[in-house]
Amino acid sequence: MHPITNYVILSGAIVVLALVGAVLQDRKKSGGDAAGWPAWQSRTSNLPFVAIMQRRARFGNFGTHALAGGVAVWLLASWVHGPLAGWPAGIWRWLA
């Protein structure tokens, strides 16, 4: 990967859009559900897994079928990458 100016600008724009978009969505949702929004905010986070690490939320509430199905979909999608794109992806990179 080379730090090409166009790529840096595009990546920066995506980061800004994601951060500003999250704040604007939070503001919109707080106006629409003024009663339930504080409770929702107290148990979630904008950063992945932060609420879980702070013990405000639990990781889980899904069964073995959901976990196995997710792994199967991931394996299939990463395997299909090889025939469609011409090179293997995911775990298939090391197995091929």
Side-chain angles (χ1 to χ4, degrees):
M1 294 176 47
H2 303 286
I4 299 172
T5 305
N6 291 343
Y7 297 162
V8 172
I9 292 171
L10 177 64
S11 298
I14 291 171
V15 168
V16 169
L17 180 62
L19 295 175
V20 171
V23 171
L24 292 177
Q25 286 179 359
D26 284 353
R27 187 178 300 158
K28 178 181 175 184
K29 293 290 184 180
S30 68
D33 184 16
W37 187 251
W40 174 256
Q41 264 190 324
S42 71
R43 60 181 194 267
T44 61
S45 172
N46 281 336
L47 297 174
F49 304 111
V50 170
I52 294 169
M53 288 187 293
Q54 294 174 343
R55 299 190 187 275
R56 293 185 287 141
R58 284 184 39 224
F59 184 75
N61 294 335
F62 50 86
T64 313
H65 288 91
L67 185 59
V71 169
V73 168
W74 174 74
L75 284 171
L76 178 66
S78 61
W79 177 82
V80 167
H81 190 277
L84 294 180
W87 62 83
I91 196 169
W92 306 107
R93 240 179 137 166
W94 294 281
L95 297 176

